[in-house]
Amino acid sequence: MALDPALRDRIVASVDEGFPEQLALTQDLIRFRSTRGEEQAIQDFVFRAFRDRGLAMDRFLMDRAAIEAHPGGSKFTPDHSEAPIVVGIHRPRQETGRSLILQAHVDVVPAGPEDMWTHPPFEPVVEGDWLYGRGGADMKAGHAANLACLDALRRIGLQPAATVTVQSVVEEESTGNGALMTHLRGYKADAVLIPEPEDEKLVRANTGVLWFEVEVRGMPVHVREMGAGQNAIDAAYRVVGALREIEARWNADKAGRSHFETEEHPINLNIGKIEGGDWASSVPAWCRLSCRISIYPGISAAAAAREIEDAVRAFSRGDPFLANNPPRVTFNGFFAEGYVLEEGSDAERVLGEAHKAATGRELESFMTAGYLDTRVHALYDRIPALCYGPASRNIHGFDEAVSLSSLKRITTAMALFVAEWCGVEPIA
Amino acid sequence: MALDPALRDRIVASVDEGFPEQLALTQDLIRFRSTRGEEQAIQDFVFRAFRDRGLAMDRFLMDRAAIEAHPGGSKFTPDHSEAPIVVGIHRPRQETGRSLILQAHVDVVPAGPEDMWTHPPFEPVVEGDWLYGRGGADMKAGHAANLACLDALRRIGLQPAATVTVQSVVEEESTGNGALMTHLRGYKADAVLIPEPEDEKLVRANTGVLWFEVEVRGMPVHVREMGAGQNAIDAAYRVVGALREIEARWNADKAGRSHFETEEHPINLNIGKIEGGDWASSVPAWCRLSCRISIYPGISAAAAAREIEDAVRAFSRGDPFLANNPPRVTFNGFFAEGYVLEEGSDAERVLGEAHKAATGRELESFMTAGYLDTRVHALYDRIPALCYGPASRNIHGFDEAVSLSSLKRITTAMALFVAEWCGVEPIA
């Protein structure tokens, strides 16, 4: 049953009216340099923003033992965030609608060399339709949109007629342990929506992701005796060759996998970081690679990890240097399966109608080849997990930006979705 | 004219008698973690050791402008040491002999991962004939030997009958600016001896060395859009390929170069350090390589640098990514020509006799393919520059060690050399 057209028009107008305030909140969020491990201050800011809206508050830490025991939990390392998870709960007077989780993450990836940015990365600058800033698109715009869609209803005297749980998590860019912790805490709803920057589309399928480090060590010597020494940087690069063979094999395995077989290169291996050696005139004794690879839905992280370990071991046995210095493979981040959003859910239908009302277009769905926290809700809560959000540029790159017109459309769609999915009741 | 046999025997016995004291001094020096930029404390220790022996003291800083204006000077970077140069001068009552500079450096290369050492790198441990410790061989053993050979004479009531300048420098492992600064300060003598770990041989020829950094930058993206981004780590590895072509060309150019043409691989390019990227799930936007390459004597550092810059530029023009993102090449350390010790000097003859008296063997000479501070004295002072020192293991590597029996033989040879080259006079 579609929304009453008059109510729909009031919601559309309310989102528009509140947009300057929504933009200001988004800019406030961007100003926090909330890279991994640096999210304490922003989570306090978020706590106040939730509480000021009258939400019931819950704030809790990661349960390391529970997370590491879970098949979708990632191992803790010294880099793991210690910031809390912040949850705000709206409870209606009459629980007549369907409940909903609105989730977003506050952690952002590093900015890289700041001189490659047009504007400083943590200064939110608007130019034309674009709001620039690290993490603005991924996903502080979505974080603020979660509140803005509730604010839009409140502005016209309404609130959801079902429990809405607004969740602010960390570790989305590294382990997914924040979203997993909300599940372990016991939160569950009839659907979840996470407004990641998805170009106004709905994520139909999503790869799992594994992070791992490969460490090579060798016996260094003075470069004058270079022939006698073993160069760990060169050896690490040979390991990369072996990893590229896994990537090629997994890409070749796309045949018959719906959502993936028509992609040219569905599986990406990224060597994201390299460090090796101490001194220009010493043959390097060590080299570490930080790697990230994706896996198809239905393949467990544990099975993929074994395949990686086995392949590195087999390659090393045939390499004169590595045979004596076997590389160490450590899974130090994402250890996550992918998921598929099954077609035909009522949640998707309602979002599709809201999207059409807000944008005039049918809701398209697509496969995305990066990690998403929606996997927790799809795999372990087994509820419709909707990942849907605004158009963006250069996420994880320089001059990351989110389209403001797109953000307003998405927020409108979210508000209409909440009104229809949860129903509305007058504020007392 | 050879030394009087009775005097020779007294000197040999005196070095032997003083060896426990010499070993203790060497161990004291090893305990200082005097990596680049961390040599202030050890230079104060050296100052006291020189002054306590009654030497006239001179302590001075680098003259950056004078060094950078000199063709053999290396550019300053933020890593450059700010420690002083320490010089102690012995002046005889009667200047009847030939003057001598005894030089050594106190800086050592980084230890690398300490867990790969059998003993902690800065704890001097004796096992059998070997004294272990970072920088023990290269060249704190030689540093202490400079004093020990003078101590051996003093122990039997003698001192050199000519000016002997004992110099303790820094920056030998990175720029050679410390030794160059002693030249710019105006020190000069009839010969110089630097007891680097040269396996009881004399260095006949020595390559020059250049250090340079190559920095590649690209446009990073989220790994889900990897095809659209440019991977700076991969691009850096392509530049390494171009640099290996220079290395091959320079090695092929060995024909007709005496001291080099019989070497299998006289020119070594070392990629000693690599750093790139910030995040496993972002395509890396930057990568920096720290490189070191050697050049033949007679080739100026400036000419070699131009060739490297030109080759990187030419390669980059043909690379689709690098053409738009030309790598930056920065010469950030050694900018040094090589040298040849011309045969037939009286200094070499005297050292040869001393060596034979101390070891029973003829003095051999050889080519060494690493930087040596003797180049300053050979090229700019134009005096016989003798680089000669003890047997060692794993300099710049793990478990660096110096042979104690070899060190005693070398110290004996040095004391006999000083006695013959400078002559001796009774201490007043």
Side-chain angles (χ1 to χ4, degrees):
Chain A
M1 187 193 82
L3 275 186
D4 168 65
L7 173 57
R8 185 193 63 205
D9 291 350
R10 286 168 64 210
I11 293 174
V12 170
S14 181
V15 169
D16 187 62
E17 188 186 337
F19 197 70
E21 191 181 302
Q22 178 181 354
L23 173 59
L25 175 60
T26 306
Q27 290 175 309
D28 284 345
L29 291 171
I30 292 173
R31 285 189 191 94
F32 288 92
R33 306 176 72 97
S34 53
T35 52
R36 190 183 195 191
E38 303 292 324
E39 317 94 337
Q40 297 280 3
I42 194 171
Q43 286 291 65
D44 279 358
F45 175 87
V46 166
F47 183 92
R48 293 191 298 273
F50 285 8
R51 195 185 48 190
D52 290 352
R53 283 165 172 83
L55 300 176
M57 298 306 300
D58 188 15
R59 179 162 52 184
F60 46 95
L61 297 177
M62 303 270 183
D63 179 340
R64 176 173 175 162
I67 288 170
E68 292 196 333
H70 191 280
S74 302
K75 291 283 176 290
F76 279 56
T77 66
D79 294 331
H80 199 284
S81 175
E82 297 185 352
I85 312 298
V86 175
V87 170
I89 305 153
H90 159 76
R91 295 192 182 94
R93 280 174 292 114
Q94 302 284 337
E95 192 88 41
T96 59
R98 289 163 290 194
S99 63
L100 179 65
I101 294 169
L102 294 171
Q103 194 182 86
H105 66 88
V106 292
D107 53 313
V108 304
V109 301
E114 300 207 356
D115 61 346
M116 292 187 75
W117 287 72
T118 306
H119 310 292
F122 296 99
E123 279 181 25
V125 171
V126 175
E127 282 185 359
D129 186 46
W130 295 93
L131 168 60
Y132 290 89
R134 165 58 79 235
D138 184 11
M139 63 171 295
K140 289 170 173 178
H143 197 292
N146 282 346
L147 289 181
C149 70
L150 300 180
D151 291 347
L153 298 180
R154 187 183 310 106
R155 194 173 293 107
I156 54 176
L158 298 173
Q159 63 183 15
T163 296
V164 176
T165 308
V166 191
Q167 301 177 338
S168 179
V169 305
V170 296
E171 287 282 324
E172 193 276 343
E173 297 289 5
S174 43
T175 61
N177 284 345
L180 184 64
M181 191 62 218
T182 66
H183 163 78
L184 292 170
R185 183 80 166 177
Y187 287 104
K188 190 168 172 175
D190 295 320
V192 61
L193 192 156
I194 303 184
E196 289 270 12
E198 302 298 357
D199 202 24
E200 306 192 14
K201 294 177 192 152
L202 177 66
V203 174
R204 172 67 60 203
N206 171 240
T207 55
V209 171
L210 279 82
W211 270 17
F212 56 101
E213 181 180 278
V214 178
E215 185 171 23
V216 173
R217 290 189 167 203
M219 193 49 64
V221 295
H222 190 291
V223 66
R224 78 180 186 190
E225 295 147 1
M226 206 165 90
Q230 303 291 359
N231 184 324
I233 295 175
D234 284 346
Y237 238 73
R238 295 199 297 276
V239 178
V240 171
L243 295 172
R244 292 271 173 231
E245 287 176 22
I246 301 178
E247 183 191 25
R249 197 161 66 232
W250 291 1
N251 274 301
D253 190 36
K254 69 183 176 183
R257 296 182 183 274
S258 51
H259 315 299
F260 293 89
E261 63 183 340
T262 60
E263 297 282 327
E264 194 185 343
H265 197 267
I267 299 296
N268 284 322
L269 166 69
N270 188 51
I271 312 299
K273 197 170 161 185
I274 188 167
E275 287 179 292
D278 302 291
W279 198 247
S281 289
S282 300
V283 178
W286 61 276
C287 189
R288 271 194 300 272
L289 304 169
S290 297
C291 310
R292 173 270 188 208
I293 198 165
S294 42
I295 56 177
Y296 297 112
I299 293 179
S300 76
R306 263 195 309 278
E307 195 170 336
I308 291 165
E309 287 171 330
D310 290 348
V312 170
R313 199 177 302 116
F315 174 77
S316 301
R317 271 199 295 268
D319 184 279
F321 169 54
L322 295 169
N324 294 319
N325 302 275
R328 193 165 56 187
V329 177
T330 312
F331 291 87
N332 63 346
F334 290 122
F335 203 77
E337 272 187 58
Y339 75 93
V340 173
L341 173 69
E342 297 304 337
E343 294 187 47
S345 72
D346 208 41
E348 179 175 341
R349 183 190 59 73
V350 172
L351 181 65
E353 285 172 9
H355 175 80
K356 191 165 185 185
T359 68
R361 293 191 300 273
E362 298 294 332
L363 178 59
E364 291 174 53
S365 66
F366 75 127
M367 186 282 288
T368 181
Y371 171 84
L372 291 173
D373 270 343
T374 25
R375 60 106 197 188
V376 169
H377 311 282
L379 294 172
Y380 310 120
D381 287 343
R382 303 204 158 276
I383 60 172
L386 308 172
C387 187
Y388 162 83
S392 68
R393 283 181 183 163
N394 304 335
I395 62 169
H396 290 217
F398 305 124
D399 294 344
E400 175 179 351
V402 61
S403 161
L404 294 177
S405 57
S406 176
L407 178 60
K408 194 193 285 184
R409 282 191 295 274
I410 290 295
T411 308
T412 305
M414 288 169 66
L416 296 173
F417 171 76
V418 169
E420 172 72 5
W421 179 257
C422 304
V424 289
E425 64 182 15
I427 294 173
Chain B
M1 186 196 81
L3 274 186
D4 168 67
L7 174 56
R8 185 193 64 205
D9 293 347
R10 285 170 65 210
I11 292 173
V12 170
S14 180
V15 170
D16 186 62
E17 187 186 337
F19 198 69
E21 192 180 303
Q22 178 182 352
L23 173 59
L25 176 59
T26 306
Q27 291 176 308
D28 284 344
L29 291 171
I30 293 174
R31 285 189 191 95
F32 288 92
R33 306 175 72 96
S34 53
T35 51
R36 190 183 195 190
E38 304 291 324
E39 316 94 339
Q40 297 280 3
I42 194 171
Q43 287 290 66
D44 279 0
F45 174 88
V46 166
F47 183 93
R48 292 192 299 273
F50 286 8
R51 194 185 49 189
D52 289 351
R53 283 164 172 81
L55 301 175
M57 297 307 299
D58 189 14
R59 178 162 52 184
F60 46 95
L61 297 177
M62 303 271 181
D63 180 339
R64 176 173 175 162
I67 288 169
E68 293 196 333
H70 191 280
S74 301
K75 291 284 176 288
F76 279 56
T77 66
D79 294 330
H80 199 285
S81 175
E82 296 185 351
I85 312 295
V86 175
V87 171
I89 305 152
H90 159 77
R91 295 192 182 93
R93 280 174 293 113
Q94 301 285 337
E95 192 87 43
T96 59
R98 290 163 290 193
S99 63
L100 178 66
I101 295 169
L102 295 171
Q103 193 182 88
H105 65 87
V106 292
D107 52 314
V108 303
V109 301
E114 300 207 355
D115 61 346
M116 291 188 73
W117 288 73
T118 305
H119 310 291
F122 296 99
E123 278 180 25
V125 171
V126 175
E127 282 185 359
D129 187 45
W130 295 93
L131 169 60
Y132 290 89
R134 164 58 80 233
D138 184 10
M139 65 171 290
K140 289 171 172 177
H143 197 292
N146 282 345
L147 288 181
C149 71
L150 300 180
D151 291 347
L153 298 179
R154 187 182 310 105
R155 193 172 293 109
I156 55 176
L158 298 174
Q159 63 182 17
T163 296
V164 176
T165 308
V166 191
Q167 301 177 337
S168 180
V169 304
V170 296
E171 287 282 322
E172 194 275 343
E173 298 288 5
S174 43
T175 62
N177 284 344
L180 184 64
M181 191 61 218
T182 67
H183 163 79
L184 292 170
R185 184 79 167 179
Y187 287 105
K188 190 169 173 173
D190 296 320
V192 61
L193 193 156
I194 304 184
E196 289 270 12
E198 301 298 357
D199 202 23
E200 306 192 14
K201 294 177 193 152
L202 178 66
V203 174
R204 173 65 62 204
N206 172 241
T207 56
V209 171
L210 279 81
W211 270 16
F212 57 100
E213 180 180 279
V214 178
E215 184 172 23
V216 173
R217 289 189 169 203
M219 192 51 64
V221 294
H222 190 292
V223 67
R224 78 181 185 187
E225 295 147 359
M226 204 165 90
Q230 303 290 0
N231 184 324
I233 295 175
D234 283 346
Y237 257 84
R238 294 199 297 277
V239 177
V240 170
L243 295 172
R244 292 270 173 231
E245 288 176 22
I246 301 178
E247 183 191 25
R249 196 160 67 233
W250 290 2
N251 274 301
D253 191 37
K254 69 184 177 183
R257 296 182 184 273
S258 53
H259 314 299
F260 293 90
E261 61 183 341
T262 60
E263 297 283 327
E264 192 184 345
H265 196 266
I267 299 296
N268 284 324
L269 166 69
N270 187 51
I271 311 299
K273 196 171 161 183
I274 188 168
E275 287 179 293
D278 301 292
W279 197 247
S281 289
S282 300
V283 177
W286 61 276
C287 189
R288 272 194 300 273
L289 303 169
S290 297
C291 309
R292 172 269 188 211
I293 198 165
S294 43
I295 56 177
Y296 298 112
I299 293 180
S300 77
R306 265 195 308 278
E307 196 170 336
I308 292 166
E309 287 171 329
D310 290 349
V312 170
R313 200 178 298 116
F315 173 78
S316 301
R317 271 198 295 267
D319 183 279
F321 169 54
L322 296 168
N324 294 319
N325 301 275
R328 192 165 58 186
V329 177
T330 312
F331 291 87
N332 62 346
F334 290 122
F335 203 78
E337 273 187 57
Y339 76 92
V340 173
L341 173 69
E342 298 303 337
E343 294 187 47
S345 71
D346 209 40
E348 179 175 339
R349 183 190 59 73
V350 172
L351 181 64
E353 286 174 7
H355 175 80
K356 190 165 185 184
T359 68
R361 294 189 299 274
E362 298 294 330
L363 178 59
E364 291 174 53
S365 66
F366 75 129
M367 186 283 288
T368 181
Y371 172 85
L372 291 172
D373 270 344
T374 25
R375 60 107 198 190
V376 168
H377 312 280
L379 295 171
Y380 310 120
D381 287 343
R382 303 204 157 276
I383 60 171
L386 308 172
C387 188
Y388 162 82
S392 67
R393 283 181 184 163
N394 304 335
I395 62 169
H396 290 216
F398 305 123
D399 294 343
E400 174 178 351
V402 62
S403 160
L404 293 177
S405 57
S406 176
L407 179 60
K408 194 192 285 184
R409 285 191 293 274
I410 290 296
T411 309
T412 304
M414 288 170 66
L416 295 172
F417 171 75
V418 170
E420 173 71 7
W421 179 257
C422 304
V424 289
E425 63 182 16
I427 295 173

